[in-house]
């Protein structure tokens, strides 16, 4: 019987869901109190469908009037986790962006005592984005802009000089421009202006173009939905793609889902399928529940067959999946004896647990592993036949091709190595940047973990890209 899921995937109030993937697992963060005295509820999952609750992330700041804690998003960089979030007052909207840090996605989280947007009159919905082309970090966020013709909340992007410091030169991404983006006419707390809103930015690079998803309208209302804009560089110029009449990614489904929006995106367990993660109201408008639906690309444009409410095929699992520590992904298995305890059809581990034989025929695949070398740079990674894909002292190497590691690279931190084989072409990526490509020799028969000296591995996953008929 095939696996299915039905939205919502978690039956608890969880607005503005953001999902981080770390060491093969998923961690979700939502707006508001968690019920344990802390802010921002945290969930975890192995498959995007079944979620466990872990309480809240950060303690309230303890400053009078700061009762609203909104839209946390988390970036992992060189061994630390950075949570960007908004805090402010309900009666006098003057929210600003702050930062908390941790050494594990579940925390403990510590506020960094920094206001990232002291010069903004209102700033929310921070979204950290690392450019896969050069490794530069940016922070997208929403801010108030009072100029006509559509006064309201729009989106900007600024360069992160460090994970806790913005350059201070925000560039425009998109301002409200359409009737469906109205928040409130003659809004009293904004001086009686007709107020429009676009918010919730989420950026990615697809086919050499940058895509920024956003939500528009009023979050409590059915006209709230998700659209997108495009650019050739993170700093713009950005252009909306035909959404004057309404959003194209997610809209209300009368009688089923109300006001879907504030999305993030994440790659599914198969390492291939992107999923839109978003919230939607229940029909009584008592809570916003987290939901997922797959994202597809058509003619270079994103599409989502959602919001769904009926049973659908669950996210595909990898053909091979292994964690060496089920309880704590921060611990690791070392490549010294022991063995993998799962065998997939057509793939099996050897007695040492270090090699995975491709027994049927040579296959195209995408594989991923998380690596840490606490004893220093040691050439750890994957081997495909005689070709090694390893992290060296200052480079990522695939065969004879190399790419320089980013400045400040920490070998002792956890890093995700992804390898994609298509025909004779192999592409390897480390943490999304850098990327190196090489040509493969023929006759490859097995994939192995390469330990170097004292390397640790926390997980391994492999998915075949397509079936190959038997000769």
């Amino acid at each position: 019987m095939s696996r299915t899921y039905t939205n919502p995937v978690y039956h608890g109030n969880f607005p503005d869901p953001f999902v981080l993937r770390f060491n093969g697992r998923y961690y979700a963060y939502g707006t508001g109190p968690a019920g344990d005295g802390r802010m921002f509820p945290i969930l975890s999952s192995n498959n995007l469908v079944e979620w466990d609750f872990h309480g809240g992330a950060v303690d309230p700041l303890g400053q009078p009037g700061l009762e609203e804690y909104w839209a946390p998003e988390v970036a992992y960089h060189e061994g630390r986790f950075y949570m960007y979030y908004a805090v402010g007052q309900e009666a006098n909207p003057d929210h600003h962006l702050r930062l908390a840090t941790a050494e594990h996605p579940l925390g403990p989280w510590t506020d960094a005592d920094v206001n990232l947007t002291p010069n903004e009159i209102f700033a929310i919905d921070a979204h950290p984005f690392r450019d896969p082309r050069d490794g530069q970090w940016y922070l997208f966020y929403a801010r108030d802009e009072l100029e006509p013709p559509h006064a309201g909340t729009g989106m900007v992007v600024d360069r992160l000089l460090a994970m806790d410091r913005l350059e201070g030169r925000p560039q425009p991404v998109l301002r409200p421009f359409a009737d469906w983006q109205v928040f409130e006419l003659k809004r009293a707390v904004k001086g009686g202006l007709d107020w429009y809103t676009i918010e919730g930015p989420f950026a990615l690079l697809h086919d050499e173009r940058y895509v920024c998803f956003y939500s528009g309208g009023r979050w409590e209302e059915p006209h709230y939905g998700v659209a997108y804009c495009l650019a050739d560089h993170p700093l713009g110029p950005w252009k909306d793609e035909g959404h004057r009449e309404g959003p194209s990614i997610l809209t209300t489904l009368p009688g089923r889902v109300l006001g879907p929006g504030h999305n993030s995106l994440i790659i599914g367990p198969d390492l291939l399928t992107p999923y839109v993660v978003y919230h939607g109201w229940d029909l009584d408008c008592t809570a916003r529940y987290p939901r997922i639906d797959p994202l597809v690309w058509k003619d270079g444009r994103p599409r989502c067959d959602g919001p769904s409410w009926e049973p659908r095929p669950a996210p595909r699992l990898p053909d091979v999946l292994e964690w060496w520590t089920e309880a704590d992904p921060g611990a690791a298995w070392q490549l010294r004896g022991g063995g993998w305890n799962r065998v997939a059809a057509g793939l099996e581990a050897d007695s040492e647990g270090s090699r995975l034989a491709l027994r049927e025929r040579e296959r195209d695949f995408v594989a991923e592993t998380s690596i840490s070398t606490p004893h220093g740079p040691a050439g750890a990674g994957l081997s495909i036949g005689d070709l090694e894909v390893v992290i060296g002292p200052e480079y990522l190497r695939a065969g004879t091709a190399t790419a320089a590691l980013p400045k400040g690279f920490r070998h002792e931190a956890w890093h995700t190595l992804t390898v994609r084989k298509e025909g004779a072409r192999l592409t390897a990526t480390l943490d999304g940047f850098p990327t190196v490509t090489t040509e493969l020799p023929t006759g490859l028969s097995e994939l192995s973990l390469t330990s170097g000296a004292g390397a640790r591995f926390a997980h391994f996953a492999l998915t075949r890209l397509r079936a190959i008929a038997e000769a």
Side-chain angles (χ1 to χ4, degrees):
M1 183 183 224
S2 61
R3 297 168 57 251
T4 64
Y5 79 98
T6 303
N7 277 317
V9 292
Y10 180 75
H11 291 271
N13 191 41
F14 204 85
D16 309 330
F18 172 80
V19 176
L20 172 78
R21 191 165 185 271
F22 175 69
N23 283 2
R25 285 184 170 86
Y26 298 97
Y27 299 88
Y29 307 85
T31 279
D36 60 357
R38 290 176 291 178
M39 298 295 170
F40 308 136
I42 306 176
L43 308 176
S44 70
S45 175
N46 294 337
N47 55 23
L48 289 178
V49 173
E50 300 161 308
W51 293 89
D52 296 319
F53 176 66
H54 297 279
V58 300
D59 292 319
L61 295 176
Q63 300 177 22
L66 296 183
E67 66 274 345
E68 293 190 330
Y69 290 74
W70 290 352
E73 292 204 11
V74 175
Y76 173 72
H77 182 63
E78 300 301 339
R80 291 191 69 80
F81 297 85
Y82 298 86
M83 176 183 288
Y84 301 87
Y85 67 95
V87 63
Q89 304 177 50
E90 181 179 8
N92 179 29
D94 62 350
H95 295 55
H96 290 280
L97 300 180
R98 295 184 68 89
L99 175 69
T101 62
E103 296 183 0
H104 190 280
L106 297 180
W109 291 89
T110 303
D111 182 79
D113 194 25
V114 58
N115 181 352
L116 292 168
T117 55
N119 298 321
E120 302 285 8
I121 57 176
F122 178 85
I124 59 172
D125 295 357
H127 167 59
F129 168 72
R130 192 182 196 190
D131 189 348
R133 286 176 168 169
D134 60 10
Q136 173 65 49
W137 283 94
Y138 297 87
L139 194 71
F140 289 75
Y141 62 94
R143 73 174 185 182
D144 281 3
E145 301 184 62
L146 305 180
E147 295 81 8
H150 291 88
T153 303
M155 301 186 304
V156 295
V157 57
D158 200 356
R159 193 188 312 267
L160 279 164
L161 300 181
M163 299 304 286
D164 61 354
R165 183 161 54 97
L166 287 168
E167 186 176 29
R169 299 176 58 190
Q171 301 300 305
V173 175
L174 200 64
R175 291 193 56 188
F177 60 89
D179 290 345
W180 68 272
Q181 297 158 356
V182 67
F183 185 93
E184 183 180 359
L185 299 178
K186 302 188 184 308
R187 190 179 181 193
V189 297
K190 297 297 183 180
L193 291 170
D194 289 345
W195 198 259
Y196 297 79
T197 292
I198 57 177
E199 60 186 10
F202 188 95
L204 56 81
L205 178 65
H206 178 77
D207 283 349
E208 302 305 314
R209 297 202 76 184
Y210 296 89
V211 183
C212 184
F213 296 84
Y214 67 90
S215 296
R218 186 178 183 122
W219 57 275
E220 300 106 325
E221 299 295 334
H223 64 269
Y224 194 69
V226 176
Y228 67 93
C229 53
L230 300 175
D232 293 323
H233 189 276
L235 295 177
W238 289 86
K239 181 180 179 182
D240 181 77
E241 285 295 301
H243 294 109
R244 187 163 294 278
E245 301 304 317
S248 65
I249 302 299
L250 291 169
T251 61
T252 284
L253 190 62
R256 299 294 184 184
V257 185
L258 299 179
H262 202 118
N263 75 288
S264 59
L265 281 97
I266 196 69
I267 290 295
D270 65 357
L271 313 178
L272 296 170
T273 307
Y275 280 85
V276 184
V277 183
Y278 61 98
H279 68 231
W281 286 101
D282 65 330
L283 296 184
D284 294 326
C285 291
T286 60
R288 287 174 286 173
Y289 297 132
R291 315 170 70 91
I292 67 168
D293 281 305
L295 185 80
V296 297
W297 297 90
K298 185 176 181 180
D299 300 325
R301 303 295 191 264
R303 294 291 182 265
C304 178
D305 184 19
S308 72
W309 56 272
E310 74 282 23
R312 288 192 165 184
R316 176 187 173 190
L317 299 177
D319 297 313
V320 178
L321 177 62
E322 186 64 75
W323 290 286
W324 283 286
T325 55
E326 291 292 338
D328 180 10
W333 175 78
Q334 296 203 23
L335 193 60
R336 294 173 182 169
W340 294 345
N341 57 20
R342 296 184 180 94
V343 177
L347 298 167
E348 66 175 10
D350 72 359
S351 59
E352 294 298 320
S354 63
R355 290 188 293 277
L356 204 63
L358 306 177
R359 295 189 306 162
E360 299 172 35
R361 288 186 59 184
E362 187 172 330
R363 295 261 187 167
D364 288 348
F365 60 83
V366 57
E368 176 188 89
T369 189
S370 47
I371 304 173
S372 168
T373 51
H375 303 295
L382 297 171
S383 294
I384 306 173
D386 294 329
L387 186 142
E388 288 190 337
V389 183
V390 295
I391 306 169
E394 298 178 350
Y395 54 78
L396 171 65
R397 175 171 61 83
T400 58
T402 62
L405 297 178
K407 184 180 179 180
F409 185 88
R410 295 179 59 224
H411 287 80
E412 68 273 20
W414 284 109
H415 299 282
T416 299
L417 176 63
T418 304
V419 174
R420 188 180 181 111
K421 175 192 174 299
E422 294 183 87
R425 184 181 178 89
L426 184 136
T427 303
T429 303
L430 190 62
D431 300 330
F433 175 85
T435 296
V436 64
T437 301
T438 190
E439 296 295 311
L440 287 166
T442 59
L444 303 180
S445 61
E446 63 183 26
L447 186 147
S448 311
L449 294 176
T450 300
S451 69
R456 302 185 300 161
F457 298 83
H459 91 288
F460 175 85
L462 180 144
T463 299
R464 301 184 186 93
L465 296 185
R466 60 180 179 267
I468 299 178
E470 293 291 335

